[in-house]
Amino acid sequence: MPEKVIVSWSGGKDSALALQKVMDDEKYKVEGLFSTVSEQSLRLPVHEVSEHLLMKQADALGLPIRIVPIAEKASNEVYDEVMKRFFQSCKDREIHKVVYADLFLEDIRSFRDDLLKKNEMAGVYPLWAIGSHKVAAEIIEKGFQAVITTVDTEKLDERVPGVLYDQQFLHTMSPEIDPCGENGEFHTFVYGGPLFHEPLRIQPGGRFETLGGRFSHVELKEK
């Protein structure tokens, strides 16, 4: 029998590819997605994608999604308690593994694994150590459609949000920028591709900034 898993969902390209890899793996059965959002803004922190659009994505993918609200600037203790309750709800459904789309950052994986271990859960990392260039190429080759939602303005131009994630975007980037944005240079939102029953109809709206202007975002809206 395949093992039940739940996918940590950012709404971005890496999450989409990780989801496809576990859906194609006979060892696993995807029970759904989950996203942590700010209680105040109802957005995914840093990515700043709205809860509404995350739910629209899940609907287009034909999967349930669990939204886990967390207070802005929550302490580690509060975060741990929120996640403890969420993981318990997973275990109540006989889900003991969480899929993450991390590529190579050891500190983030160690943080996740420590938290999972405390809650008698385990992680699955289908993109780990593949390499950012290969992952970027596979995302585009498989036909995932994504738009840049956020950039770190210390690394990329503040006008980039709203640009499509495609070969042209990759060719214009400096070699110092990871092609998947794994170091936080940019974040994406997937609106179509091989897993979608139909693409989402979205358009870029106004721009806004967070963290004192360090991060520049574009507001995505439904057409």
Side-chain angles (χ1 to χ4, degrees), residues 9 11 42-43 48-60 65 67 149 189-190 196 200-203 218-223:
W9 185 251
L42 300 181
R43 293 176 181 273
E48 301 301 328
V49 172
S50 70
E51 175 183 333
H52 174 73
L53 283 181
L54 293 172
M55 295 177 72
K56 283 289 186 179
Q57 273 183 323
D59 186 55
I65 187 169
I67 301 295
T149 61
F189 178 84
V190 174
F196 286 71
L200 298 180
R201 292 174 54 79
I202 60 167
Q203 60 186 2
V218 66
E219 180 77 44
L220 296 180
K221 299 180 178 181
E222 292 182 83
K223 288 184 180 179

Side-chain angles (χ1 to χ4, degrees), residues 6-12 15-16 19 23 30-35 49-67 189-192 195-200 222:
I6 191 164
V7 178
S8 176
W9 185 251
S10 73
S15 287
L19 172 61
M23 290 184 75
V30 175
E31 291 293 304
L33 316 171
F34 81 93
S35 300
V49 172
S50 70
E51 175 183 333
H52 174 73
L53 283 181
L54 293 172
M55 295 177 72
K56 283 289 186 179
Q57 273 183 323
D59 186 55
L61 291 165
L63 290 169
I65 187 169
R66 171 80 177 271
I67 301 295
F189 178 84
V190 174
Y191 60 89
L195 300 179
F196 286 71
H197 298 317
E198 59 181 8
L200 298 180
E222 292 182 83

Side-chain angles (χ1 to χ4, degrees), residues 2-177:
E3 188 169 13
K4 295 180 179 180
V5 297
I6 191 164
V7 178
S8 176
W9 185 251
S10 73
K13 60 184 175 31
D14 298 341
S15 287
L17 183 60
L19 172 61
Q20 182 173 50
K21 285 187 178 295
V22 291
M23 290 184 75
D24 290 344
D25 193 328
E26 295 180 353
K27 297 196 302 288
Y28 302 115
K29 181 178 186 297
V30 175
E31 291 293 304
L33 316 171
F34 81 93
S35 300
T36 57
V37 303
S38 162
E39 286 182 349
Q40 285 73 23
S41 67
L42 300 181
R43 293 176 181 273
L44 192 76
V46 183
H47 299 69
E48 301 301 328
V49 172
S50 70
E51 175 183 333
H52 174 73
L53 283 181
L54 293 172
M55 295 177 72
K56 283 289 186 179
Q57 273 183 323
D59 186 55
L61 291 165
L63 290 169
I65 187 169
R66 171 80 177 271
I67 301 295
V68 182
I70 298 181
E72 286 186 16
K73 300 180 181 178
S75 65
N76 289 338
E77 291 77 14
V78 169
Y79 177 82
D80 286 354
E81 184 58 33
V82 170
M83 296 309 295
K84 178 181 178 180
R85 291 196 297 269
F86 170 68
F87 289 141
Q88 184 58 56
S89 72
C90 291
K91 290 186 287 187
D92 291 343
R93 297 165 55 201
E94 299 183 341
I95 302 169
H96 298 277
K97 288 191 174 178
V98 181
V99 177
Y100 292 105
D102 299 297
L103 276 67
F104 58 78
L105 296 177
E106 295 280 359
D107 56 340
I108 292 179
R109 178 165 178 169
S110 293
F111 171 81
R112 299 197 198 284
D113 286 342
D114 289 345
L115 182 63
L116 291 167
K117 186 176 180 180
K118 283 194 295 187
N119 289 280
E120 300 176 310
M121 301 278 288
V124 177
Y125 299 88
L127 307 185
W128 190 257
I130 292 177
S132 294
H133 289 278
K134 288 184 178 179
V135 169
E138 189 170 355
I139 288 165
I140 293 170
E141 287 168 5
K142 287 186 180 296
F144 285 108
Q145 299 167 291
V147 61
I148 311 298
T149 61
T150 297
V151 299
D152 181 341
T153 59
E154 294 182 0
K155 300 175 180 178
L156 285 170
D157 191 289
E158 64 182 6
R159 295 167 294 182
V160 169
V163 170
L164 296 181
Y165 182 82
D166 55 15
Q167 287 289 1
Q168 181 177 349
F169 170 72
L170 293 176
H171 287 322
T172 61
M173 283 197 314
S174 164
E176 288 78 28
I177 302 297

